[in-house]
Amino acid sequence: MSIRALVCGAGGFIGAHLVKKLKQEGYWVRGVDLKYPEYYHSVADEFVLGDLRDPFFCSKVLNEKFDCIYQLAADMGGAGYIFTGDNDADLMTNSALINLNILSLVKQYGVGKIFYSSSACIYPEHNQLDPANPNCEESSAYPANPDSEYGWEKLFSERLYLSYAKNFGTNVRIARFHNVFGPEGTWTGGKEKAPAAICRKVAQASSGSSVEIWGDGLQTRSFLYIDECLEGVQRLMDNDFTGPVNIGSDEMVSINELAELVISISGKQLSLNNIPGPMGVRGRNSDNRLIKEKLKWAPSSMLAVGMEQTYKWVEAQVQKK
């Protein structure tokens, strides 16, 4: 008998890829989201379109005990959406309502395991001021001081899931994602993240021109290719470790270096034009000591490999416009 899985956020970038992976592994999958995947038809056995902020709708899609639930649904976006401050109330309210609704029904029906996708944005701003030496060890999350309301909501929801585990025996798994990227993700419109945004800018630029980069470009990050993200999620679900645990690459680069990499992949002659814009923290990198200890595994794919695939895909989308 097939393992029955519910993927919340199945119309989003990570969720849509996760549905494909689960189906390849023989799962029966019900996907749910406000929207269908943007670039292809979902392969979920059932795809229910609706709003997980609505408790009545939630009760229609989570109406049985699933073997596993993957809770990826959230209000989110890139720096232009999260760090301006214009969307803080929506970011906190929308995502918190989804998690409260889902957990109330899990308490009623039960679940084999439920995965919650948290974020590296929960880490304290004061530990990420030095772009060369950020501290994102899991235990460094407290005393809490995220640099965005998005991060505060994620931290609250981590504690919400852990509280349900403690009080009701809910079998939870929690991962903190670090900048997941790859083909078939948002690449324009304001909610795209840095890898896709830079790929778009480079693809649209003509040789001899410049590419705009927000800030001085010296802020550092690590970026995780989608395939390795999904591998990490499944390894966590198959393990007895609850988390929270980082799932991210530890190959740290500056945003300027990321842009130079994309320019190199494109083969164009372009320069960088650093302009004022939202940047987030000065430095962030995945600390992978705990995932190596608990899961005997950590992401290892080189950034350049994933960026080449992502640039080719974004370039194709730009050419279609």
Side-chain angles (χ1 to χ4, degrees), residues 6-237:
L6 175 67
V7 177
C8 302
F13 168 54
I14 300 175
H17 279 275
L18 176 61
V19 169
K20 288 196 290 187
K21 181 177 176 62
L22 294 176
K23 286 302 301 174
Q24 289 168 359
E25 296 179 0
Y27 285 60
W28 184 94
V29 180
R30 176 182 292 168
V32 56
D33 208 323
L34 277 170
K35 60 183 178 65
Y36 293 112
E38 190 171 354
Y39 302 106
Y40 53 88
H41 183 74
S42 176
V43 296
D45 296 278
E46 294 179 2
F47 197 106
V48 187
L49 205 61
D51 192 341
L52 289 166
R53 295 172 298 180
D54 176 1
F56 178 72
F57 173 73
C58 270
S59 69
K60 293 196 296 183
V61 296
L62 216 172
N63 56 1
E64 60 180 280
K65 179 178 178 178
F66 285 89
D67 297 303
C68 49
I69 297 173
Y70 297 85
Q71 192 342 54
L72 305 166
D75 191 353
M76 63 176 302
Y81 186 72
I82 289 176
F83 298 121
T84 62
D86 296 337
N87 307 294
D88 287 351
D90 284 343
L91 282 164
M92 297 196 81
T93 303
N94 293 337
S95 297
L97 282 173
I98 291 169
N99 289 312
L100 288 163
N101 288 340
I102 288 171
L103 281 169
S104 68
L105 290 164
V106 165
K107 178 187 172 187
Q108 178 180 344
Y109 289 104
V111 65
K113 293 179 184 177
I114 181 167
F115 171 83
Y116 173 62
S117 60
S118 186
S119 167
C121 290
I122 64 94
Y123 287 111
E125 183 176 20
H126 56 258
N127 285 348
Q128 301 171 89
L129 298 176
D130 181 353
N133 295 290
N135 177 15
C136 293
E137 184 180 3
E138 285 83 353
S139 61
S140 74
Y142 298 94
N145 184 31
D147 72 324
S148 66
E149 301 308 321
Y150 174 79
W152 278 108
E153 188 282 322
K154 285 291 189 183
L155 196 59
F156 162 76
S157 290
E158 283 189 10
R159 298 184 71 91
L160 181 66
Y161 279 82
L162 292 171
S163 295
Y164 271 71
K166 178 173 67 176
N167 293 156
F168 308 120
T170 308
N171 196 358
V172 307
R173 299 290 184 273
I174 301 171
R176 295 169 180 165
F177 288 161
H178 287 249
N179 295 310
V180 183
F181 76 99
E184 299 168 347
T186 301
W187 59 276
T188 190
K191 285 195 170 185
E192 68 277 13
K193 296 187 177 182
I198 292 172
C199 285
R200 183 196 73 245
K201 291 176 182 180
V202 171
Q204 291 174 334
S206 55
S207 282
S209 64
S210 63
V211 174
E212 291 184 344
I213 301 296
W214 288 345
D216 60 14
L218 301 180
Q219 64 271 32
T220 56
R221 297 290 187 274
S222 63
F223 300 94
L224 180 65
Y225 193 61
I226 181 63
D227 292 356
E228 291 209 295
C229 172
L230 300 181
E231 178 71 16
V233 169
Q234 284 303 88
R235 285 175 178 263
L236 181 60
M237 287 291 272

